Amino acid sequence: MNSSVSQKLTSGGIELDPGPERFGFLCESNDLIGNAEALRARMERNGYLYLPGFLDRDEVNAARKAICEELSEEGLLDPDEPVELAIARPHTKMSFRPDIANGKLAGPLIRKVIYGERIMSFFGLFLGGEATHYDFTWMRTIAPGLGSQAHCDVIFMGRGTKNLYTAWVPFGDVPLNVGGLLLIEGSNHNEQVRQSYCTMDYDSSCQNRPGEHPLTAAGYHTSGALSEDMRQTRDLDGGRLLTAEQYKMGDLLIFSVYTIHGSLDNHSREIRLSTDSRYQLASEPLDERWVGEHPAGHGGQSVKAAIC
C-alpha cells in the first residue's frame, strides 16, 4: 500500500524519505485469518502479518488505564492532563518498563490481552501445533524523543528455535507523530544480514579480547542495533519502510525474528505504550533466558564466551 504523508517523519533523529518507493503502509491480513497456509505464505513473503482490530479493544483499554495509573503514581505523567491520555511530565525520559508488564498491578490485564485464548489459538493455527509463549514480556513506554533503532530480534533470543515470532501490541491509538513500530518490508530475506548480524548473540563476550563485545568487534553497536540510521539501512536492504497510518488499540502486528524493525520517533507529548511478546511451537526448544517464574534475561549468568 502506498503512502501519502505530509508530516515530517524521523527515526533516530534522521528524517525519512516518504516517497512511495521508500515508504508505505502495512498490508492488512485480516482476510487470511483461519487460512494457515495463506498466513504462512504472506509471512514468508513480507516478513510480517498486520491484523487491525484482532484483539478486544475494551480489554486493551482496561490494561492501558492500569498502566497509566502506575505511571501517574510514579509522577511520570503531567498532573494537569487526564491520566488516561498518558501525557508525559516535561523532561520525562523513559523507554523500557518490563516491570509493569511482568508485575502484579497492570501486569495481569496486559497478559490477558497478549496471552489470552484468541491470540494463542491464532498462533496454534499459524504454527501448525500447540503454541507457547515466553514468560517474560517486554513493555515499551516511549516518552517524547527518539524511538528504537534498527535491529532483528533473533540476536536477543536466538538460543532456542528460530521458528519464533514477535507480536507487537499498541496499548493506545498511535498516530504517526507518536512513533509507532516501523519495519523494512521483506527484510527477513536479507541473506547478508542473516549470515552476519543475525548470527550474533547479545549475551556474549570476547574470550580472546577481554573487555570487548562481539557486536562491536564485528562493527555493530553494543545496544544490539544493526544500525543507528534507519534510512541508510533501508537503502542498503532495498525494501520499503512500513508502518500504519494510525495503529489503534486492538491491532496486532506479528513479524519474524529476522525482520529488520525499529520505530518512528515520538514527536508528541504522549508516552507511547506497547508490548513485545514472543510465540513458538511448544514442541521446539525455548530460549532459557526468557522462561520460568523468574526469567534470567540479559547479563549475569546468561553471558557466554565467544571467539571474536
Side-chain angles (χ1 to χ4, degrees):
M1 182 178 180
N2 288 337
S3 63
S4 178
V5 179
S6 58
Q7 61 186 286
K8 177 181 176 180
L9 301 177
T10 66
S11 180
I14 298 170
E15 187 170 1
L16 303 177
D17 181 350
E21 296 83 15
R22 292 179 171 82
F23 188 90
F25 293 133
L26 296 162
C27 168
E28 299 182 8
S29 292
N30 286 353
D31 59 318
L32 304 184
I33 292 175
N35 186 335
E37 184 176 347
L39 288 166
R40 292 180 201 128
R42 184 164 291 178
M43 174 65 78
E44 172 61 23
R45 182 176 71 249
N46 294 345
Y48 73 92
L49 295 171
Y50 178 44
L51 305 173
F54 180 87
L55 300 167
D56 187 303
R57 183 178 174 90
D58 290 338
E59 290 185 357
V60 177
N61 194 35
R64 173 185 174 81
K65 289 179 179 178
I67 297 166
C68 290
E69 287 292 343
E70 287 200 46
L71 297 177
S72 177
E73 290 175 6
E74 294 179 23
L76 296 170
L77 302 185
D78 189 328
D80 296 326
E81 300 285 355
V83 170
E84 62 270 18
L85 295 183
I87 303 300
R89 183 185 287 272
H91 311 300
T92 294
K93 301 295 181 184
M94 179 174 55
S95 62
F96 188 46
R97 289 295 303 272
D99 58 299
I100 293 177
N102 297 284
K104 295 181 179 180
L105 298 176
L109 293 173
I110 295 170
R111 296 190 290 272
K112 180 180 179 182
V113 171
I114 60 176
Y115 303 134
E117 181 178 352
R118 181 161 172 74
I119 196 168
M120 295 309 299
S121 294
F122 173 87
F123 274 105
L125 172 76
F126 172 69
L127 293 169
E130 181 185 355
T132 190
H133 60 80
Y134 285 178
D135 295 308
F136 187 87
T137 302
W138 288 254
M139 177 94 215
R140 310 290 173 181
T141 51
I142 307 295
L146 302 182
S148 302
Q149 298 171 336
H151 65 281
C152 296
D153 287 343
V154 68
I155 75 160
F156 301 102
M157 51 201 70
R159 294 182 184 176
T161 179
K162 303 301 192 294
N163 185 31
L164 177 70
Y165 295 89
T166 293
W168 184 83
V169 175
F171 282 81
D173 296 341
V174 184
L176 290 170
N177 69 315
V178 177
L181 191 134
L182 185 68
L183 59 80
I184 300 180
E185 181 179 34
S187 55
N188 53 310
H189 295 294
N190 188 319
E191 283 302 316
Q192 190 278 326
V193 172
R194 288 179 74 122
Q195 297 304 319
S196 55
Y197 168 78
C198 287
T199 65
M200 309 298 289
D201 185 331
Y202 181 78
D203 285 307
S204 56
S205 62
C206 293
Q207 185 176 20
N208 55 323
R209 294 183 184 176
E212 188 167 4
H213 196 287
L215 282 163
T216 57
Y220 301 111
H221 305 272
T222 53
S223 65
L226 171 62
S227 166
E228 295 181 336
D229 187 337
M230 181 67 86
R231 183 177 60 191
Q232 182 184 62
T233 303
R234 189 231 70 84
D235 290 343
L236 292 172
D237 179 83
R240 294 181 302 160
L241 290 171
L242 301 180
T243 189
E245 191 167 10
Q246 176 167 288
Y247 292 108
K248 295 184 177 181
M249 286 189 290
D251 289 359
L252 174 63
L253 177 59
I254 302 167
F255 49 91
S256 159
V257 291
Y258 291 104
T259 300
I260 301 171
H261 63 284
S263 74
L264 292 168
D265 295 335
N266 185 350
H267 292 288
S268 74
R269 296 174 57 216
E270 180 181 346
I271 296 174
R272 191 259 283 169
L273 307 174
S274 63
T275 58
D276 314 331
S277 43
R278 272 78 197 193
Y279 307 81
Q280 64 171 80
L281 283 169
S283 59
E284 294 184 345
L286 287 150
D287 187 323
E288 73 282 355
R289 290 171 291 182
W290 308 114
V291 295
E293 185 175 357
H294 301 289
H298 292 309
Q301 294 184 350
S302 295
V303 177
K304 294 184 177 181
I307 300 298
C308 300

